[in-house]
Amino acid sequence: MPVAVSIYLENGAHERVARVGDDLDESFLSACQAAPDGSVMSGVFSVGDTMFNEQQLEQFARELDQLPEERKTGTTRQVADMARRAAALRGYLFISGD
């Protein structure tokens, strides 16, 4: 059964500004699950919630940008962009796993 993952960009007051869901192939979640231990990406939970703050977001975006080309999808690129936007807003990225 597929895991439903929604990613929200939140501003500093935790107001949701944007949302993206993982694609049918779960490219974002599978990239996070394959990330090396200790990376920010490896901290994404498939079940439950994950929140990254301003300090974590820049590294998270870099890790997504450094994925091998075959792992980069429209979804992973959108999430990297959302992470950079959240950092610029001094906000958060909230990832809701089901």
Side-chain angles (χ1 to χ4, degrees):
M1 174 182 247
V3 175
V5 175
S6 295
I7 302 102
Y8 300 94
L9 185 165
E10 296 183 350
N11 64 20
H14 292 283
E15 298 166 328
R16 292 185 175 168
V17 177
R19 177 197 174 276
V20 67
D22 207 350
D23 53 41
L24 292 177
D25 294 331
E26 297 181 345
S27 62
F28 169 71
L29 188 57
S30 66
C32 291
Q33 291 171 337
D37 288 342
S39 66
V40 177
M41 285 177 60
S42 71
V44 173
F45 300 111
S46 61
V47 178
D49 299 330
T50 307
M51 181 175 284
F52 293 123
N53 64 31
E54 178 185 358
Q55 295 172 349
Q56 298 162 314
L57 288 168
E58 290 181 26
Q59 178 63 31
F60 184 63
R62 273 194 301 277
E63 290 174 10
L64 286 166
D65 290 339
Q66 292 171 353
L67 286 172
E69 284 304 313
E70 65 272 8
R71 294 214 71 136
K72 290 182 182 178
T73 64
T75 302
T76 58
R77 285 181 174 96
Q78 277 185 294
V79 175
D81 181 58
M82 287 174 68
R84 284 187 285 277
R85 288 174 49 205
L89 288 172
R90 302 184 72 147
Y92 306 89
L93 203 64
F94 181 80
I95 302 162
S96 177
D98 225 3

